[in-house]
Amino acid sequence: MSSSANIYQQVIIKSIKQETAGVKTFTLSYANGGNIPYVAGQFITLVFQHHNKEERRSYSISSSPALREPLSFTVKRLDNGAYSRLLHDKAEVGDVLLTTDVAGLFTLPLKINVAAQYFFFAAGIGITPIISLIKTLLIQKPDIEAVLVYSNRTADDVVFFNELNELAARNGGKFRIEYLYSTAFNLSRARLNKALVRQLLNEYGKVERENMYCYVCGPFDYMRMVIYALEESRVKDEQIRKENFNVNERPAMIVEPPDKGQHRVTIIHNNSSLTINCQYPDTILKAAKKSGIALPYSCETGRCGSCAARCIEGNVWHSYNEVLMDMDLRHGSILTCTGYPVGGDITIEV
Ligand code: FES
């Protein structure tokens, strides 16, 4: 690996679709032709220049590779979101964008049969990776039981309304949708709360809790509430996958690693390797940046999974991790953006 390794690729906007007021879908291909490979539920990281400084933003993919759909991502226009405004207000078909690649661990299990029923909880634009997962799941296993609980303010805010209803109609009662509107008159079916999560699990559940698999995507408070409710309903942590779409907010708590000494980090990439020194307060990612090594990353807060790598020697301690599950950690997965080498030198594969 050379420190100047080019991790950037050019992609071109092939089409733009207005989904609802304030939500657009952008379809991409490589600028030199060809579809961009991806896995359902992942995101693409785009690179922007701001005052001569590189800024990265990740956008969830809404298309399905199982349907051979070219990569599309769906974005809500945020008044305080400089890049969502740029995409909504300025981007045109034919524009070339820069990406550092597709990544993310909010994906279907390798074996769909690990669960007999899938529950998807989405709020607002959190539907984006969820629809990618649902389309893919229903193609891979059409007879699987699947339920979507989709929260919005009003019916006008529902993204992919027709597409979701068509999926439900096509899958003959196996895929069911509960739309919730926080402005509804019937308060017992309005804003999602812990009691309603439990009630919906009972109403729609066709299998024992241990045979369910749940996906949750939405704002932080929504996700925390749904995850607590699921855990209180005896759905185990390893049966829950979560994706926080507001990954650019930094966790308030700063924690220090148990070992703040300097250690050597060997980074293996494409059969070549480089060794750098890393010491707190620098994370592995920061130390690599200082050494001029371009590693993949996006949020830099332990919330998106863009920087995931594998530790094949030594130990890594994370100051924050919202994406790797215990199982991933046991298999050596690490996040370079919040990871520090502890107890000695380490070797990682990127
Ligand atoms: S860059 Fe997002 S988790 Fe590390």
Side-chain angles (χ1 to χ4, degrees):
M1 175 178 49
S2 100
S3 59
S4 60
N6 186 7
I7 58 163
Y8 304 101
Q9 288 171 302
Q10 287 189 326
V11 293
I12 189 165
I13 300 177
K14 302 296 280 185
S15 65
I16 302 174
K17 182 181 174 198
Q18 186 85 46
E19 301 285 357
T20 60
V23 175
K24 283 185 178 178
T25 293
F26 299 81
T27 300
L28 304 176
S29 73
Y30 283 126
N32 56 6
N35 283 338
I36 305 164
Y38 65 98
V39 173
Q42 290 190 308
F43 53 81
I44 184 163
T45 299
L46 298 181
V47 181
F48 301 93
Q49 290 296 326
H50 185 65
H51 297 314
N52 288 329
K53 203 173 147 256
E54 179 184 301
E55 300 250 6
R56 299 185 186 189
R57 290 290 181 276
S58 295
Y59 298 102
S60 292
I61 294 169
S62 50
S63 48
S64 165
L67 290 168
R68 296 181 185 280
E69 293 173 333
L71 188 153
S72 298
F73 66 93
T74 302
V75 186
K76 180 175 180 174
R77 187 185 188 283
L78 299 172
D79 288 340
N80 61 352
Y83 300 106
S84 72
R85 287 202 323 261
L86 188 75
L87 286 166
H88 269 260
D89 303 346
K90 299 270 196 295
E92 291 180 356
V93 172
D95 283 356
V96 172
L97 304 169
L98 214 53
T99 177
T100 54
D101 213 354
V102 166
L105 303 165
F106 191 64
T107 53
L108 293 170
L110 284 178
K111 291 187 183 141
I112 300 288
N113 285 341
V114 292
Q117 185 169 26
Y118 284 73
F119 272 83
F120 298 90
F121 293 88
I125 195 65
I127 190 65
T128 302
I130 296 278
I131 193 169
S132 172
L133 292 169
I134 291 172
K135 287 190 285 191
T136 306
L137 177 70
L138 297 180
I139 286 287
Q140 289 185 356
K141 194 106 178 66
D143 58 341
I144 197 95
E145 290 285 342
V147 178
L148 167 65
V149 178
Y150 186 16
S151 298
N152 279 285
R153 206 174 151 271
T154 69
D156 289 342
D157 300 315
V158 175
V159 188
F160 307 123
F161 184 69
N162 292 335
E163 200 173 347
L164 287 167
N165 291 342
E166 278 164 23
L167 282 170
R170 264 209 307 274
N171 283 275
K174 292 282 186 183
F175 170 51
R176 293 169 293 161
I177 307 172
E178 177 77 31
Y179 292 108
L180 296 174
Y181 305 121
S182 56
T183 51
F185 287 119
N186 177 2
L187 293 181
S188 66
R189 291 267 168 164
R191 192 177 291 278
L192 191 63
N193 55 44
K194 287 207 282 184
L196 187 50
V197 171
R198 283 194 292 272
Q199 188 184 328
L200 293 170
L201 282 180
N202 290 336
E203 262 180 53
Y204 286 99
K206 292 234 169 151
V207 300
E208 297 297 325
R209 297 285 195 265
E210 59 265 31
N211 291 320
M212 291 178 178
Y213 213 82
C214 301
Y215 287 82
V216 191
C217 186
F220 183 74
D221 288 344
Y222 166 89
M223 293 195 24
R224 190 168 54 179
M225 180 278 295
V226 175
I227 290 163
Y228 280 157
L230 290 174
E231 288 176 348
E232 281 174 11
S233 302
R234 305 185 323 279
V235 179
K236 293 194 186 124
D237 192 44
E238 60 261 32
Q239 296 166 256
I240 305 170
R241 304 253 17 162
K242 46 195 188 245
E243 178 95 322
N244 186 344
F245 63 61
N246 192 4
V247 294
N248 299 310
E249 225 172 76
R250 283 181 186 276
M253 198 171 50
I254 297 189
V255 275
E256 297 180 355
D259 167 8
K260 293 194 247 171
Q262 185 181 83
H263 299 295
R264 291 173 72 70
V265 177
T266 300
I267 303 170
I268 301 176
H269 181 60
N270 282 346
N271 296 325
S272 60
S273 70
L274 275 179
T275 299
I276 57 170
N277 289 322
C278 179
Q279 181 169 22
Y280 179 85
D282 288 348
T283 60
I284 298 167
L285 177 66
K286 212 169 206 174
K289 276 188 187 176
K290 281 186 177 171
S291 303
I293 298 175
L295 294 182
Y297 71 90
S298 177
C299 71
E300 297 185 81
T301 59
R303 291 176 167 190
C304 75
S306 287
C307 66
R310 204 161 72 86
C311 180
I312 55 175
E313 207 180 325
N315 291 305
V316 171
W317 179 89
H318 294 101
S319 61
Y320 195 80
N321 164 30
E322 217 174 276
V323 280
L324 298 178
M325 298 170 77
D326 286 349
M327 187 179 52
D328 303 319
L329 294 166
R330 276 199 300 276
H331 287 121
S333 294
I334 62 150
L335 301 175
T336 62
C337 73
T338 55
Y340 301 85
V342 289
D345 299 345
I346 63 166
T347 301
I348 64 169
E349 261 177 358
V350 179

